Amino acid sequence: MLKLSRDEQLDRLSTTILHNASSLVRALSYCSEHGIGSFRVNSGFLPLKSHPRLTYRLDELPDALLIGELLAVSRSHADNHNIRRTFHPDQFTLLSSPHDHVIRQSLDELDYHAELAELIGADVITLHGGGAYGDKESALARLVENIDRLPAQVRSRLALENDDRTYTPQDLLPVCEQTGVPLVYDVHHHRCLPDELTVEEATQKALATWNREPLFHLSSPRDGWQGKDSRPHHDYIDPSDFPSCWFDRNLTVEVEAKAKELAVERLSGDLVAQKHPLARRRKHYLAA
């Protein structure tokens, strides 16, 4: 892209973003037709938006008007059908890093997500705690410090998620309490990297961090819990991995499975077959 003229850059970006906006409308229509109540929007929706040399304003794009219309249609459709919209920036977006350039890039990336979230009505930007960098206590202190630097449009949407290698719910809950940022409880990660909390205790504590409908993550291990590595996600969800303490809770469950919407629909059918209470409420699934 850097080899192209500015007009050529904007033309290419505009074509891609127009396609993405049209695809978002179709994806949300699919969700409403199939009883899926939430959708995670791909972080690459606006390519290179946070790139220091290639960044752009939407109104610079040749297709700006049509893109704006499609984004408005997607927001209206999702609002009318009660479809939640979320983001999950990639692993390079870090607020606990000891490196200033990483923090600057991460802040730019979060600004971009918040700008798009405002346009499409997304209310959650989920972020991992990041690395420990040899000193978990200091890394968590940097995380708190950098959360405090965030503008309101980012901070009001930011949520932290426990991971399967470094930060457990017990590690992040004090950060959530100190900053007011809620915890996206990932039960698969917690099972891979346990702490002193039970699933039931972590669920209850995570629920208490939210001032709106909580968002949780669910996945199953690709090779089963007795496999060599329980971290990689399966194509589908084993219904036995759905915590019983989540039933009859008012929450959004993001299904992180390789088969995406097919996994959501199979899980919904499994819960119906097992006559679980949550199966009667069609809102609470996301193909991620």
Side-chain angles (χ1 to χ4, degrees):
M1 288 289 283
L2 290 171
K3 295 179 181 179
L4 302 178
S5 69
R6 186 57 174 171
D7 286 344
E8 290 172 321
Q9 290 173 359
L10 293 175
D11 186 65
R12 184 170 296 186
L13 287 164
S14 186
T15 299
T16 300
I17 295 167
L18 181 60
H19 172 81
N20 290 345
S22 177
S23 296
L24 179 60
V25 172
R26 294 198 303 274
L28 292 171
S29 296
Y30 182 97
C31 288
S32 63
E33 292 165 3
H34 291 81
I36 297 174
S38 188
F39 184 77
R40 181 188 294 175
V41 181
N42 191 294
S43 289
F45 192 94
L46 300 181
L48 302 172
K49 186 67 171 66
S50 61
H51 191 283
R53 296 174 61 187
L54 292 169
T55 189
Y56 50 91
R57 301 187 317 274
L58 288 181
D59 61 12
E60 293 182 272
L61 302 175
D63 299 302
L65 289 178
L66 184 52
I67 290 169
E69 290 174 2
L70 288 171
L71 294 179
V73 167
S74 71
R75 178 169 185 158
S76 177
H77 183 87
D79 287 345
N80 291 337
H81 291 86
N82 197 23
I83 302 170
R84 195 175 198 175
R85 289 128 284 169
T86 71
F87 287 99
H88 196 342
D90 65 33
Q91 68 270 27
F92 303 108
T93 306
L94 302 165
L95 293 181
S96 58
S97 173
H99 305 296
D100 289 342
H101 73 280
V102 174
I103 296 300
R104 287 196 302 271
Q105 292 169 359
S106 298
L107 295 176
D108 289 344
E109 187 72 8
L110 290 172
D111 282 343
Y112 147 56
H113 279 81
E115 178 185 351
L116 182 56
E118 188 72 27
L119 291 171
I120 67 171
D123 77 313
V124 181
I125 301 172
T126 303
L127 202 62
H128 288 293
Y133 309 99
D135 184 346
K136 184 181 287 188
E137 184 176 348
S138 295
L140 288 172
R142 286 193 298 273
L143 178 60
V144 171
E145 179 183 350
N146 287 314
I147 287 174
D148 287 340
R149 296 172 57 185
L150 296 173
Q153 66 175 358
V154 177
R155 186 163 178 166
S156 64
R157 294 178 170 91
L158 188 70
L160 296 175
E161 177 193 352
N162 60 295
D163 62 78
D164 55 10
R165 294 186 183 275
T166 306
Y167 292 111
T168 69
Q170 200 165 30
D171 290 325
L172 292 179
L173 281 165
V175 176
C176 295
E177 293 165 3
Q178 187 173 348
T179 62
V181 170
L183 180 69
V184 173
Y185 175 46
D186 189 310
V187 68
H188 182 184
H189 289 169
H190 193 202
R191 287 163 173 160
C192 293
L193 183 66
D195 53 21
E196 296 177 355
L197 300 176
T198 65
V199 169
E200 291 78 5
E201 290 168 339
T203 293
Q204 191 61 38
K205 288 179 179 293
L207 289 172
T209 65
W210 287 87
N211 61 5
R212 55 196 187 282
E213 181 169 297
L215 178 71
F216 285 5
H217 286 178
L218 176 69
S219 49
S220 290
R222 182 185 61 200
D223 300 319
W225 290 109
Q226 304 306 315
K228 184 177 180 180
D229 186 356
S230 58
R231 292 183 177 92
H233 294 173
H234 198 286
D235 290 349
Y236 292 92
I237 302 296
D238 183 336
S240 67
D241 287 331
F242 199 112
S244 59
C245 60
W246 291 9
F247 297 142
D248 281 339
R249 298 283 189 177
N250 183 32
L251 59 94
T252 300
V253 178
E254 285 193 346
V255 172
E256 296 187 318
K258 301 299 184 181
K260 302 183 184 295
E261 71 279 0
L262 301 181
V264 174
E265 292 166 15
R266 178 182 291 187
L267 175 61
S268 183
D270 288 339
L271 294 179
V272 167
Q274 296 177 21
K275 299 181 179 179
H276 283 310
L278 193 66
R280 295 194 297 269
R281 292 157 45 207
R282 300 177 67 199
K283 179 184 181 302
H284 306 286
Y285 300 100
L286 164 68

